[in-house]
Amino acid sequence: IRNEVLLSDCIPAYINLELPEFQAIRQKMEGAKLSRAQTDDLLKTKGVFKGMTATVDNVEYTFGMGGIHSGIPNCIYKASDNFVMSARDVTSLYPSLAIKNQYYPEHLGETFCNVYEQLFFRRRDAKRAGDKVVDATLKLALNGTFGNMGSQFSPFCDHKCLLSITITGQLSMAMLVEQLRKVPQMTIVQTNTDGLILHHPAEYLEHVDKVCQWWMDITQLNLECEDIAEVYQRDVNNYIQVGTDGKIKRKGAYEYKYQWHQDPSAMII
């Protein structure tokens, strides 16, 4: 349980931002501090990220406790003979950030990252083997551990570790956005914590792949690529994504096959 956390201590040395809009966000973060109001309270996180928004190419990017978000409102994008679309998502973003940057609850030491990495490998192998039960179980273990870093009732509690993970994640994504937007006729349809949806001329696909590889080399994170045929987007949290294989992904207002833990109705009282 920490008395204070300086967000400047949560930013790794490899973060390098070019756009003045993103540089301003970093400066705000470097000047922010979380403190405990009383000895029996946790750090006060409410309002720390208030106003941390940047407008780039007429699109608003919002930074917060969880991650970076942006989305072109009320739009439809489709792949064609000349344009391609893809979703570039980081594999297990939060656990990967902890493992690769050696972020761990201070009282648990570096052994935490070693064990965390073994869980990551076990989940990867289960996913490749098609074992959905083990995959889902270990996904919960990995992400639940990250979430518990913000709980005073958990042995994983350490707000500095949690904030280091989320801040590193969103500033890293900002670095990727900066370079991808340089691709001619590139449209970044959305940025959503752990990934982006891209729409650009097919002739620049190899260049886009190289930019993504450059980013992976710096951050040591892995970007998975999914080819997309169409996107119907109200905003970053409400959209329909159609893969080139015909698979449909629905989010927010367009989701109707709810899982029990996501069902917004009053079916269970």
Side-chain angles (χ1 to χ4, degrees):
I1 306 297
R2 298 178 181 273
N3 289 322
E4 68 176 27
V5 172
L6 301 176
L7 297 195
S8 57
D9 294 336
C10 302
I11 302 174
Y14 62 76
I15 296 295
N16 181 31
L17 298 169
E18 300 175 355
L19 289 173
E21 295 86 349
F22 287 158
Q23 290 176 345
I25 294 295
R26 175 173 182 163
Q27 291 172 0
K28 288 181 180 179
M29 289 183 177
E30 289 177 335
K33 179 175 73 173
L34 280 69
S35 302
R36 293 170 68 189
Q38 298 177 9
T39 56
D40 58 345
D41 290 334
L42 285 180
L43 292 170
K44 300 298 183 183
T45 59
K46 185 176 181 180
V48 173
F49 290 91
K50 184 178 181 180
M52 286 196 184
T53 60
T55 300
V56 176
D57 299 326
N58 296 317
V59 176
E60 184 176 83
Y61 289 79
T62 302
F63 297 76
M65 274 292 293
I68 184 173
H69 292 84
S70 73
I72 299 175
N74 306 321
C75 66
I76 296 175
Y77 282 90
K78 298 182 179 182
S80 64
D81 292 338
N82 298 321
F83 279 78
V84 295
M85 293 185 68
S86 63
R88 310 282 178 137
D89 295 318
V90 179
T91 306
S92 296
L93 176 64
Y94 292 149
S96 295
L97 284 165
I99 294 165
K100 298 303 181 182
N101 291 279
Q102 287 292 288
Y103 293 147
Y104 51 83
E106 188 172 323
H107 54 289
L108 297 181
E110 295 181 13
T111 301
F112 170 86
C113 290
N114 297 333
V115 177
Y116 212 27
E117 187 172 39
Q118 291 307 309
L119 287 176
F120 176 88
F121 289 148
R122 285 173 60 190
R123 186 200 170 197
R124 179 200 62 189
D125 294 343
K127 192 172 184 179
R128 289 176 178 176
D131 191 332
K132 294 184 178 181
V133 174
V134 175
D135 176 25
T137 302
L138 292 177
K139 178 180 180 180
L140 183 62
L142 288 164
N143 293 334
T145 298
F146 160 77
N148 282 332
M149 291 176 185
S151 171
Q152 62 179 317
F153 306 107
S154 170
F156 300 115
C157 183
D158 185 345
H159 274 80
K160 181 182 178 183
C161 182
L162 183 146
L163 288 163
S164 295
I165 291 171
T166 60
I167 288 175
T168 299
Q170 52 194 314
L171 292 182
S172 294
M173 292 302 295
M175 286 174 56
L176 182 57
V177 167
E178 285 186 336
Q179 301 308 315
L180 287 173
R181 64 182 289 275
K182 295 178 182 179
V183 176
Q185 294 180 271
M186 166 65 76
T187 299
I188 301 176
V189 182
Q190 69 163 247
T191 307
N192 194 354
T193 303
D194 62 350
L196 317 91
I197 295 179
L198 309 176
H199 181 271
H200 59 84
E203 62 182 299
Y204 298 118
L205 179 58
E206 183 178 355
H207 178 64
V208 169
D209 289 339
K210 288 181 178 179
V211 170
C212 290
Q213 186 60 55
W214 162 84
W215 184 82
M216 288 190 284
D217 291 341
I218 291 176
T219 63
Q220 295 300 297
L221 301 174
N222 180 62
L223 277 173
E224 300 176 3
C225 179
E226 178 184 356
D227 294 327
I228 298 175
E230 303 169 349
V231 169
Y232 303 85
Q233 179 169 285
R234 190 177 81 181
D235 54 54
V236 67
N237 295 314
N238 302 275
Y239 61 92
I240 300 172
Q241 174 183 311
V242 183
T244 53
D245 58 359
K247 183 178 179 181
I248 298 177
K249 176 181 178 181
R250 300 173 180 271
K251 286 291 186 179
Y254 307 109
E255 175 60 85
Y256 60 90
K257 295 181 180 179
Y258 298 106
Q259 300 181 46
W260 290 113
H261 70 289
Q262 294 177 326
D263 194 336
S265 75
M267 291 176 66
I268 300 177
I269 301 298

